[in-house]
């Protein structure tokens, strides 16, 4: 078993008269390898070597309001790209290499309006788009099967909060999460079909309270 990972990131914040602009960029490289005794006996007659080489790149730019007033907001753009290669070698058969490419972007925005000193309403939207490309090759470079698919989704978020004391509030929220589909990278024959995306609807109602100042750390 062997795991090597290198990563780095950079962030910059610039303030303007009505908002702060934040830019971020990151990159990560991972190499993972494992050798297993695939015949499950004490005789070294069959083994499997699996490695994974991955590069992941992200970028984000977002603007956040910095003025006082009843309206606070945030808006931005998120970018993502990666390449993951899965060489799979078996001493018996099924020697192949799979590569998956992904690229995605999301545009998001959210605003909170304080209707009164105690009541606030938050609303937000996120548009997500992602494309996945999957290629599988024999060790001789012969294509086994190629596939690609793209996914998109608009995800909302709504929160209503009422603060009935300085240290206690009630709230109700609805939000939606989205995870794009993907391909089985260990599949050795086609046709290749992407797993359907996952969509999660979350409803929450609750009370937030600090019964004692020392317990909150204020």
């Amino acid at each position: 078993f062997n795991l090597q990972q290198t990563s780095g990131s950079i962030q910059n914040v610039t303030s303007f008269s009505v908002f702060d602009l934040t830019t971020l960029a990151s990159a990560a490289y991972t190499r993972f390898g494992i050798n297993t005794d695939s015949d499950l006996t004490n005789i070294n007659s069959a083994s499997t070597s699996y490695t994974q080489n991955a590069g992941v790149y992200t970028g984000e730019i977002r603007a956040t309001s910095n003025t006082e007033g009843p309206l606070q907001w945030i808006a931005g753009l998120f970018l993502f790209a990666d390449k993951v290669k899965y060489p799979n070698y078996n001493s018996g058969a099924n020697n192949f290499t799979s590569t998956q490419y992904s690229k995605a972007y999301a545009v998001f925005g959210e605003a909170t309006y304080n209707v009164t000193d105690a009541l606030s309403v938050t609303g937000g939207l996120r548009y997500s788009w992602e494309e996945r490309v999957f290629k599988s090759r024999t060790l001789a470079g012969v294509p086994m099967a190629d596939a690609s698919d793209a996914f998109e989704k608009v995800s909302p978020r709504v929160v209503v909060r009422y603060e009935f004391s300085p240290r206690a509030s009630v709230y109700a929220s609805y939000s939606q999460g989205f995870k794009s589909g993907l391909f089985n990278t260990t599949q050795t024959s086609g046709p290749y079909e992407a797993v359907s995306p996952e969509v999660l609807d979350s409803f929450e109602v609750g009370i937030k309270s600090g019964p004692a100042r020392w317990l909150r750390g204020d």
Side-chain angles (χ1 to χ4, degrees):
F1 176 83
N2 181 49
L3 175 63
Q4 298 176 350
Q5 187 174 59
T6 303
S7 62
S9 63
I10 186 171
Q11 176 177 320
N12 179 70
V13 179
T14 304
S15 296
F16 296 93
S17 58
V18 295
F19 66 91
D20 294 332
L21 186 66
T22 303
T23 54
L24 306 97
S26 69
Y29 303 93
T30 302
R31 178 177 175 83
F32 168 79
I34 187 171
N35 294 315
T36 61
D37 183 6
S38 55
D39 65 354
L40 301 180
T41 70
N42 59 354
I43 301 175
N44 188 18
S45 60
S47 62
T48 298
S49 174
Y50 175 84
T51 61
Q52 174 180 308
N53 301 306
V56 180
Y57 315 90
T58 66
E60 183 176 347
I61 180 170
R62 63 173 182 262
T64 308
S65 60
N66 59 12
T67 58
E68 296 183 358
L71 180 65
Q72 303 295 319
W73 55 268
I74 182 173
L77 171 67
F78 176 78
L79 304 173
F80 172 89
D82 77 347
K83 177 183 178 181
V84 185
K85 191 173 184 179
Y86 310 85
N88 191 313
Y89 306 114
N90 188 290
S91 60
N94 297 329
N95 295 321
F96 63 95
T97 297
S98 300
T99 306
Q100 183 166 263
Y101 307 87
S102 303
K103 58 182 178 180
Y105 73 88
V107 181
F108 58 90
E110 183 175 284
T112 297
Y113 185 77
N114 295 312
V115 181
T116 67
D117 291 340
L119 178 64
S120 64
V121 179
T122 300
L125 285 176
R126 179 186 178 96
Y127 172 75
S128 303
W129 178 90
E130 183 165 346
E131 181 183 47
R132 291 184 181 269
V133 179
F134 179 68
K135 296 182 178 181
S136 186
R137 300 287 186 270
T138 66
L139 293 185
V142 178
M144 298 171 63
D146 294 344
S148 64
D149 209 340
F151 313 89
E152 60 179 351
K153 181 67 176 176
V154 176
S155 305
R157 180 173 184 263
V158 179
V159 182
V160 178
R161 183 183 304 275
Y162 184 80
E163 189 175 284
F164 54 85
S165 78
R167 294 199 300 271
S169 62
V170 294
Y171 67 94
S173 70
Y174 164 72
S175 59
Q176 191 174 76
F178 169 71
K179 179 182 178 181
S180 73
L182 48 81
F183 293 98
N184 178 8
T185 57
T186 61
Q187 187 174 340
T188 59
S189 62
Y192 290 85
E193 295 185 1
V195 176
S196 298
E198 296 180 33
V199 178
L200 173 67
D201 292 301
S202 175
F203 300 87
E204 186 175 356
V205 177
I207 299 176
K208 289 188 176 181
S209 175
R213 185 179 297 277
W214 60 267
L215 186 60
R216 288 167 52 101
D218 294 344

